[in-house]
Amino acid sequence: MAATSFSGMQFAMSRSCIPASQKIADAGAVVLGGKSKIGSWNKLASACHIASVQPFRRGFTSSSIKSVKSDTKALFEFSAQSADSGLSIDLKGKRAFIAGVADDNGYGWAIAKALAAAGAEILVGTWVPALNIFESSLRRGKFDISRILPDGSMMEITKVYPLDAVFDNPDDVPEDIKTNKRYAGSSKWTVQEVAESVKEDFGSIDILVHSLANGPEVTKPLLETSRNGYLAAISASSYSYVSLLKHFLPILNPGGSSISLTYIASERIIPGYGGGMSSAKAALESDTRVLAFEAGRKRKIRVNTISAGPLRSRAAKAIGFIDMMIDYSSANAPLQKEVLAEEVGYTAAFLASPLASAITGTVLYVDNGLNAMGVGVDSPIFKDLNIPKDQH
């Protein structure tokens, strides 16, 4: 696995000042009526030491501002308690279900690993035809190196469930799939049945991750895509998330988090990414916003999607030009490097944590900033411009 600059799941503040602290200090003048309490805020802005936070906490909870909502009070108390050791992601006692893990080199695996590093219990759903080889690889230790966490321990997967997210319930499964030898020996693998099995085995979960997609005609231009191919891409890559959240929502603990993975082809033209897959990703992002509202109102569940940069995963290689996309991204993104699977994993851990308690309905880009670019700066047309290059 590629090395990263993070130490475990610790995003340490090292007692340095948060750039936004001065904005907090300015806000204090409003909360405290512009009185001498501002001094405590300024100490917080200049030092970020626990000793400086305590006067602020006492003043903030004083009777003069009892009208401040308790949620805000709890947020600042959490910040004060975290100041000594840095701002950490702690998912101990949480349980995550990650749908779409079939090997150790994709984003699903990286997300599972990051959640495990933060202390979460890991359950995974694996596509039925890939189940035997995945479980065999786990048993034989093929993934042991990839399972090593930052503290030296091994990621444990509590249970692997067979899953085919194209089918909501047993009545949806056609006869040719039921009799397909690749499905022989597996049972209860539709979305509804998996959710029921997880409830029976564990009662509830806190984190739901959708890390799966399929477009049988992905190599075809949109104008050459068949209706069946287009609808298959939507079904496997977009509606599967709606179905997953629908069936898991009753067992998602309030305050939990649901995360999916999308791609910039949802909003930009990526020639070669065809077969209706760009439409599927656009639908996924639109659904993320609607699901954020519905799941938020029903169960206080946050729903977000990560728009990840290109990765040399086994699934991405099916597109046929993944190396070209990685080279293009490295040449044109503000940060000239490859996106690491771990970086997407860490982002998912953040979104699943209390640190992201006010974030929902969002598309979060983890692509070295490529989404911000309006042109490809590696084009010969820009050869005479003094475009900065990465010097490291």
Side-chain angles (χ1 to χ4, degrees):
M1 300 292 285
T4 72
S5 59
F6 295 105
S7 174
M9 290 305 298
Q10 198 82 336
F11 299 149
M13 293 164 64
S14 302
R15 293 195 181 277
S16 62
C17 177
I18 304 174
S21 347
Q22 190 56 52
K23 294 180 181 178
I24 297 175
D26 294 339
V30 178
V31 175
L32 301 176
K35 297 182 181 179
S36 59
K37 297 285 186 179
I38 296 175
S40 295
W41 291 86
N42 290 336
K43 288 180 184 178
L44 177 63
S46 62
C48 295
H49 279 72
I50 192 72
S52 302
V53 177
Q54 294 300 336
F56 155 65
R57 286 177 62 195
R58 290 196 294 271
F60 185 78
T61 57
S62 67
S63 58
S64 62
I65 52 170
K66 284 182 179 178
S67 60
V68 177
K69 291 184 178 180
S70 60
D71 285 350
T72 307
K73 171 185 169 185
L75 175 63
F76 281 104
E77 288 182 341
F78 169 77
S79 300
Q81 293 164 1
S82 302
D84 258 349
S85 60
L87 199 58
S88 63
I89 292 179
D90 184 0
L91 298 176
K92 292 183 181 68
K94 305 298 184 182
R95 182 178 297 115
F97 181 88
I98 300 99
V101 180
D103 56 40
D104 66 340
N105 71 347
Y107 284 135
W109 178 274
I111 290 172
K113 192 172 175 181
L115 296 176
E121 180 181 13
I122 304 300
L123 314 175
V124 303
T126 300
W127 188 46
V128 184
L131 181 66
N132 287 338
I133 189 169
F134 179 67
E135 290 189 315
S136 174
S137 295
L138 279 174
R139 286 194 304 269
R140 289 162 40 212
K142 184 178 179 181
F143 300 149
D144 280 0
I145 293 178
S146 298
R147 289 172 57 206
I148 298 175
L149 300 176
D151 65 359
S153 64
M154 301 275 277
M155 175 178 69
E156 297 295 337
I157 297 176
T158 302
K159 187 163 184 178
V160 179
Y161 291 86
L163 171 67
D164 193 327
V166 167
F167 305 107
D168 296 331
N169 55 63
D171 292 338
D172 292 340
V173 183
E175 194 62 34
D176 63 320
I177 295 294
K178 291 179 181 178
T179 58
N180 190 310
K181 64 180 181 180
R182 296 198 298 172
Y183 287 76
S186 295
S187 60
K188 297 183 178 180
W189 43 259
T190 64
V191 177
Q192 176 185 313
E193 291 172 303
V194 173
E196 290 171 350
S197 295
V198 172
K199 180 180 180 180
E200 182 179 338
D201 294 340
F202 298 97
S204 64
I205 63 172
D206 305 278
I207 303 161
L208 177 67
V209 179
H210 177 276
S211 178
L212 49 87
N214 183 48
E217 298 180 16
V218 66
T219 59
K220 291 184 178 181
L222 190 55
L223 283 173
E224 297 176 16
T225 300
S226 69
R227 183 183 295 271
N228 286 340
Y230 185 96
L231 294 178
I234 294 286
S235 174
S237 309
S238 178
Y239 185 77
S240 60
Y241 185 42
V242 177
S243 177
L244 202 69
L245 187 52
K246 171 186 175 181
H247 288 94
F248 275 83
L249 190 61
I251 65 170
L252 264 168
N253 291 320
S257 176
S258 183
I259 302 164
S260 65
L261 291 168
T262 185
Y263 182 50
I264 198 171
S266 63
E267 54 185 293
R268 299 285 188 271
I269 300 167
I270 308 292
Y273 192 75
M277 280 303 301
S278 57
S279 306
K281 291 302 184 183
L284 179 67
E285 293 178 17
S286 179
D287 292 343
T288 293
R289 291 183 283 272
V290 178
L291 292 171
F293 174 77
E294 295 183 0
R297 291 299 181 94
K298 285 185 176 181
R299 299 277 296 177
K300 298 186 185 301
I301 303 300
R302 293 175 289 110
V303 182
N304 296 289
T305 188
I306 298 172
S307 184
L311 177 74
R312 287 189 180 90
S313 66
R314 189 167 290 113
K317 289 176 181 176
I319 301 173
F321 63 102
I322 187 64
D323 291 337
M324 185 189 308
M325 291 307 301
I326 290 174
D327 291 342
Y328 177 86
S329 177
S330 297
N332 292 286
L335 301 179
Q336 291 187 273
K337 64 180 185 64
E338 288 192 29
V339 174
L340 302 177
E342 291 91 336
E343 293 170 316
V344 171
Y346 292 142
T347 303
F350 161 70
L351 288 174
S353 77
L355 300 180
S357 59
I359 300 175
T360 193
T362 294
V363 178
L364 186 54
Y365 297 94
V366 184
D367 63 355
N368 291 323
L370 186 64
N371 70 91
M373 299 301 296
V375 297
V377 295
D378 62 344
S379 171
I381 200 170
F382 297 114
K383 61 182 176 61
D384 294 329
L385 291 183
N386 184 23
I387 296 175
K389 303 285 186 182
D390 187 355
Q391 302 298 315
H392 303 285

